[in-house]
Amino acid sequence: MKSFLLPLLFFILLLSGCSKEVSQQGSMAPTATLKIKFEHQFKGQPLELNTNYQNDFGEAFSIGRFKYYISNIVLYRGSNASVLPETYFLIDENDTASKTLRIPIAAGNYDQMHLLLGVDSARNVSGAQTGALDPLNDMFWTWNTGYIMVKLEGSSPLSTQPNNRIQYHIGGFSGAYSALRQMETGFPSSVEVKSGQTLTVTFNADLQRWFNGVHDLPIAGQTVAMTPGPLSARYADNAVSMFSVKDARVQ
Amino acid sequence: MRWRCTISTLVFCVAAASMLINACNKKDVEKGTTSVSFEVPAGFPQPVYDFSKNPLTREGIALGRQLFYDGILSKDGQTPCASCHQQFAAFATFDHDLSHGVDNGFTTRNAQALSNLAWQQSFHHDGGILNLETQPLAPLTAANEMGETVAGVVAKLKGSGKYQQAFRDAFGEGEITSQKMLKALTQFMVTLVSANSKYDQVKRGTTSFTIAEQAGYATFKAKCASCHQEPLFTDGSFRNNGIGINPFLNDGGRIRITRNAADSLKFQVPSLRNVDLSFPYMHDGRFYTLQQVLTHYRTGIQQTPNLDPALQFGISLSNTEASNVLAFLKTLTDSAFVKDPRFAAP
């Protein structure tokens, strides 16, 4: 019996090495699913594009486009990390399907999840990419190469740009002004996910905090952010402060 | 019993593994590509470029060459990579300080000569590009260069029967993607190896320098090679060589990338291979002759912030030394490279 099981296990391991998708989960076959949902809001209400809003500085504006990268998802059981397949997700307010991520995971107990808001530094410099990281998604700076981690565009009467545009392209992956931000969320209690079940984690992202989640960045001060640097890093702080876990449940 | 169990496990695993490896590689066999090995010239360090993620093939290089010379990558159909990177000028723009892009646009910097790119860590005068594969995105999408969008170029390639075939030949079945386009362009670019100048031949012992060249080489090693390091003739660093800011372009160089005041007016040390052919010189193409460059180093250094300490007092060269250095610089011309039919328009 044993002499049959062992090779089988090896075989599965090898198989995972070939597809690369599951290799990082070690020998734990992914029989359950992690579903991450992002709900974008403004002041607690579902976000509407091209709708007039007012931020906490009383400044009028509207949002036309909101996109960001999520990567490096890790589930924890105590201090045991379960690194999920190396996958990059581009979440786009304009594309409903993009706001729900589905990732195969091993069954087990989990009490924490870490995500990266952005694309890790290694991937910024490893050459031509495809899928969510394809430069045709307009999330890549070509002259100072690297991914735009978060993009918020819209308009405001306070802007003197053409069409009253406001444009915040937040990025930079190295040094003091890196815009990469880690999100670490503990679940209210350890959740048990059995084989065949789905763990659904729902995040709220409230764009009210874009302008003052951590740093005060009124529109009157800047209508455009387009390069890695200190300003971009401050927007990144505000951006990550927009996210909070609404709930985590197993079905 | 224990033993037998382990052995049977091993046998099974080896069999399973070989099956799987076959499964993984089968695609390459199906593609029918011919692999090309990258030769590192004698005396050169190991290349920086990671070939493992983009193995060279005859078909990939051929596709890259076709793309490099094809206006289809530009908005007006007339502005291929090769319009600014001309082989006879060592892949710089011949006799232009700035180059012409689409819509009568001008580049804001001098087009670099292209060679030995597989050894380069970062690209452009300010080093803003960190992987050769992503470099083409810059000229493709710049309004003053090729004026396209990535999506636009990919759509045009998908609509071309010729390219559908060429991409299949190089990468097998499957859609044309920007990734494949960039990898093919990179395959062609890394083959642009220049290592057969008179200097290289002297190093290999197949010919010898004239007396003037030999003396110029000695002076070069003493006074220039700290930045223009052999055998690539650059150390890849960013320096302010005292040429002063160009008031029309106002280009701070490296500071654009790092936002660090200590990097103001620093530019990447360029290779000097084929330098006699790649005039004009410096990031803005301000000097048209090597004579002018030497005069700059001898008497023209401007005391600007972050001036490299090695150039604080300029470089003292007697007239004889200067003309010998010039003679030496000309030995860096690789005439086989600029005439190599493998690099010419397909």
Side-chain angles (χ1 to χ4, degrees), chain B residues 196-202 208-210 212-214 216-217 233 272-276 290 324-335:
Chain B
N196 200 18
S197 63
K198 180 168 185 186
Y199 159 84
D200 298 293
Q201 291 167 11
V202 171
S208 44
F209 282 139
T210 64
E213 290 163 355
Q214 186 68 51
Y217 180 36
F233 291 90
L272 300 181
R273 286 187 168 271
N274 298 300
V275 71
D276 192 36
L290 287 173
N324 289 344
V325 168
L326 265 183
F328 169 69
L329 290 176
K330 291 182 185 182
T331 71
L332 298 176
T333 299
D334 181 346
S335 39

Side-chain angles (χ1 to χ4, degrees), chain A residues 29-45:
Chain A
T31 55
T33 305
L34 168 66
K35 197 156 123 184
I36 305 178
K37 287 167 75 173
F38 291 99
E39 297 183 356
H40 303 150
Q41 307 185 324
F42 191 77
K43 295 192 178 170
Q45 298 302 309

Side-chain angles (χ1 to χ4, degrees), chain A residues 2-3 6-8 10-11 14-15 18 125-130 134-136 140 142-145 173 177 227-230, chain B residues 2 5 9 12-13 16-17 20 24 53 128-131 133-134 137-138 141 150-151 154 177-179 182-183 256-257 259:
Chain A
K2 203 172 152 214
S3 63
L6 214 69
L8 197 74
F10 239 90
F11 190 81
L14 274 163
L15 210 88
C18 186
V125 297
S126 17
Q129 305 290 321
T130 194
D134 193 317
L136 63 75
F140 190 77
T142 58
W143 57 275
N144 181 359
T145 50
F173 56 86
Y177 302 134
T227 60
Chain B
R2 234 202 125 69
C5 173
T9 309
F12 188 92
C13 287
L20 277 162
C24 286
K53 293 199 193 119
I129 294 171
L130 295 169
N131 191 303
E133 290 177 17
T134 49
L137 295 168
T141 60
V150 182
V154 171
T177 61
S178 72
Q179 187 183 42
L182 295 169
K183 285 188 183 282
R256 277 186 68 194
I257 305 304
R259 315 235 125 200

Side-chain angles (χ1 to χ4, degrees), chain A residues 109-138:
Chain A
N109 286 295
Y110 298 106
D111 49 27
Q112 247 195 83
M113 183 166 76
H114 292 188
L115 324 172
L116 190 68
L117 178 58
V119 176
D120 53 273
S121 58
R123 268 307 156 112
N124 277 273
V125 297
S126 17
Q129 305 290 321
T130 194
L133 298 178
D134 193 317
L136 63 75
N137 293 320
D138 264 344

